Structure formats: C-alpha cells, structure tokens
Amino acid sequence: MPGEDCAAMEGEGGSKRPEWIAPPQQMKRLAPMVANTLTGNKVEFIPKDGNTVRWYICGPTVYDSSHLGHARTYVAFDVVRRILENFFGYDIFCVMNVTDVDDKIIIRARRNYLLKQYKETKPSLDQVLVRAKAEVEKAVARYNAKVDKLKADIEKETQSGKVKGLKEELDATHYKHGLTEKQAVYVAEAEKGAISDPNVLLDKAADLISSSLDEEKKEEVTDPQIFRAHAAYYEKEYIEDMNTLGVRMPDVLTRVTEFMPEIVKYIEKIIANDFAYEAQGSVYFDIRKFCDSHGYRKLSWSEASVAAALAEGEGALSSSEGKRSDADFALWKKSKAGEPSWDSPWGGGRPGWHIECSVMASEMLGDTLDIHGGGIDLCFPHHDNELAQAEAYYGHQQWVNYFLHSGHLYIGSQKMSKSLKNFFTIREILKGGSEMKLSEEESITLPPYTARQLRILFMMHQWDQPMYFSK
C-alpha cells in the first residue's frame, strides 16, 4: 500500500495484496467475469470507455525460435480476444510489442556472428579442441561455485518460500550444466579420435566455442545491423508461426528500436518526478522513493523469493554500478563495446527491459489500459516494474485495470524455457514431433500435431492454469 515500508522490494513477500480500484460502470450490458491477477479472482470486466477496449500484450523477445509455451500463450489470448469481440461485442484495439533489443539478443547475435567468422578461418581440429577444452574447464568451475553457494544458501535459509526458490534455481543450474556436459562428451570423443572433422566438432560444441569467442572478441562486434538482422529473422519466424496457428495479429505491432526518442523522454519525466536517478551513464528506478507514495509488486506481492527473477530481468550484460539499492532496476543501460547503442542525455546506451512496454503501451493506448496480457512468468519483475514505471510517469495509482496471465507450460516437472533450452519449437512439433531427454530418468516424446490439433489441445486446458506435457 502507498506509504508503507515496502518489505516486498527487498525480496520478501508482502502480507497484504495492494489495493485494486474497480473501474466505474459506464453502461448496462452483458459483461464477462475475467480472471484478474491484480485481484487474484474473477471480477466483472468494465472497460474505461464504454464499448472500447484498450489491450496491450507482451510479445516475444526474438532471439530464438518460438516454442510451445509461446504457442499456448498467444493461442489463449487469441481465443479470449475473439470471445470478447465476437460474443460480447467489444471494440478491441490490440497492441503487441516485439522486443528487438535485449541482452539475450545481443549475446546470441554476437556469438552466432563470431562463430560464423571463426568457421570461415578453417581452424584445425587441434585449435578447436584447445578452445573447447578450456571452455569446458571454465564452465565446470562456474557450475561448482554456483552449486556450492546455492547449497550453502539453502542450508542457512529459514523462510520456506525462499528455500523453494533456491531449490528451483539449483535444479535449473543442474539442468543447464547437463547441456554443457553433453557438449563436453563430443570434445572428449574428438580427443580420442572418434571425431576428426573440425566442422563437426564446431557444430556439436557450438555453445562452448561461441562462448569462448565472445569472451575474447565481443568488443570487435560493432555493426548494429548484426543485432537487427538476428532479431528480424526470428520476428519473421514468429509471425509465420502465429499465422500457421491461426492467431490473429494485433492491430498494431511495435518494436523497441522504433521508439527510442519516446523512451528517452519517458525516462526524463520519471527522473523529473523524482522516481529515478542517473548513475555512471545508466538510469535506475528508485524503488524506495516510489514506495513512499505507491504500492509495489502488485502482481507478485505474496512471493517470498524474487532475487533470482530480479537478476534475470536486469540481464546478463547489466552492471549494478551506482545503484542505491539492490532492488532498483535499470531504465537505461550504459552500453559497452560490442553492444548496440543509442544517444541519450546520459550517454550512449539502450533501454532496460521493462521500460519498453510502459512507453509503447502508453504511446499507443494512453494513461489507462483496460487489459494487459502476458505469460505468468512475466509477473515479476517485468509486469510489476511496468506498472511502477507508468504510475511514476503519470502520477496515479493504477495504470492497468485488468491483468490477464496465461499459465505455465511444463515439460515433465520443468517449466518450458528458452534459457533452460528445454523447449520444443512450434515448427518441430508441426513438422513431425520431437523427443527431449530431461534427465537420466525422464524423457519426453511429443508426436506431430497439426495447427488445429494444437489449438484444440490448448483450449482443452484452463488458459490461466499450468499445463503439463509428460510421458
């Protein structure tokens, strides 16, 4: 609640759900009840302006192929949108973004480019082996250090919610390292002579090699088109996938790179309103200051452990230099060599992840959104921070009236995730099914589906609840 000491900003769950303000009834009509994450239950849907509905959907971060989790989310919102329009008769103006600049895009584009260049030099098998073996050693050292720290944190932690979060992070760490071990097997085979072609090893151990090259040569990647071309490729693939699944495109599709002047002005106003500060070329949102007058973590208020999610939201390339609090998050990031950059009053840089949606949604839909939608995994930090930024910008207490979140899609016991690489792409399922080994004990095989079968499959499950693919 406004004015309260925000314990939630330090990573502890709050004891009370922040207040939600119900929109006033404008007209008498048949109205649906919607599952609103801001209230935790179903409430009557009342648009701000009569029959007009302003709806913003968080779109994809286009650094890799779209997977079944994306399919489930966007099919779900497509069905909800059609019901609201075709049955209830609402006039919906739907806006969706594409995140086309992001730490994940930068890293993936840069590594792919450097690996392609390296292949063109025609390295010998011995040269590839030396590089791959050194990267395996580094990866094992990082893994062991992280596992030791997580186990120590679990041992000393007393709050059950935080213990749960730490254990989930430990499981994810084990799984990610398993992917490294698979590539290390190919490195060992090459050492024994079972692989003699350097190009085969380059393909089998691509992540290891590209990581090594990135660490060594990242500052040499200066052409912004490298990053834009990577994002454009996967944006095109995403749109084709949605068309195949029968998902209607939004009325307006926005891209972060097309809104840089608006993003800079938006941040300037948040600074002028005294809710953000500049530090060494970056700009951070001041959580403590915001909590003096606003409610924070409206969507994740009860979550006990959010530190890992906060760090992931800041991005792998982020720096915390000059931050007043660990809970503060970046509105503008100072760019380093090897990263795309745009001019700003604070120097060359790029937007933080969360600010892009606050700006583009505000530009297209104004100071109040009827509906904001996205996957449940975006609640914190992305959507909570979107709300905070917009409310700091406009000076009011409620920017979104209804937040709709689609449920997680699980593969076995794991949430499907690009970062974990435990995902089935939409294309591989439509083309012929696929198999994935999750552990020594568990593997998942999905048969081929048609686009219509996938839609029906998703519609058979409650759209805002978890869905499980298992053996």
Side-chain angles (χ1 to χ4, degrees), residues 77 237 330 360 364:
F77 288 136
E237 190 177 276
M360 291 187 288
M364 302 306 302

Side-chain angles (χ1 to χ4, degrees), residues 230-245:
H230 182 93
Y233 176 87
Y234 286 109
E235 177 189 331
K236 179 175 180 290
E237 190 177 276
Y238 165 80
I239 292 173
E240 290 172 352
D241 288 346
M242 293 302 106
N243 287 336
T244 299
L245 291 173

Side-chain angles (χ1 to χ4, degrees), residues 134-146 177 180-181 184:
E135 195 60 31
V136 169
E137 290 176 5
K138 291 177 187 176
V140 170
R142 289 193 297 267
Y143 166 73
N144 288 334
K146 186 169 184 179
H177 186 64
T180 300
E181 289 179 326

Side-chain angles (χ1 to χ4, degrees), residues 8-43:
M9 71 184 176
E10 302 298 339
E12 298 178 6
S15 59
K16 191 175 181 181
R17 182 186 295 277
E19 180 184 7
W20 176 71
I21 305 167
Q25 184 68 261
Q26 299 290 326
M27 55 190 291
K28 287 188 176 182
R29 58 160 299 154
L30 177 66
M33 301 290 287
V34 298
N36 187 2
T37 316
L38 288 164
T39 64
N41 58 11
K42 290 184 179 180
V43 292

Side-chain angles (χ1 to χ4, degrees), residues 428-466:
E428 65 185 342
I429 295 302
L430 292 178
K431 285 181 179 178
S434 188
E435 183 176 1
M436 181 187 304
K437 188 174 182 180
L438 298 176
S439 66
E440 292 301 322
E441 299 79 26
E442 185 178 18
S443 63
I444 301 293
T445 300
L446 290 186
Y449 286 90
T450 66
R452 179 166 292 187
Q453 286 171 335
L454 269 184
R455 282 185 71 97
I456 293 172
L457 180 67
F458 294 140
M459 290 167 63
M460 288 170 63
H461 293 74
Q462 189 169 325
W463 69 274
D464 62 339
Q465 295 299 312

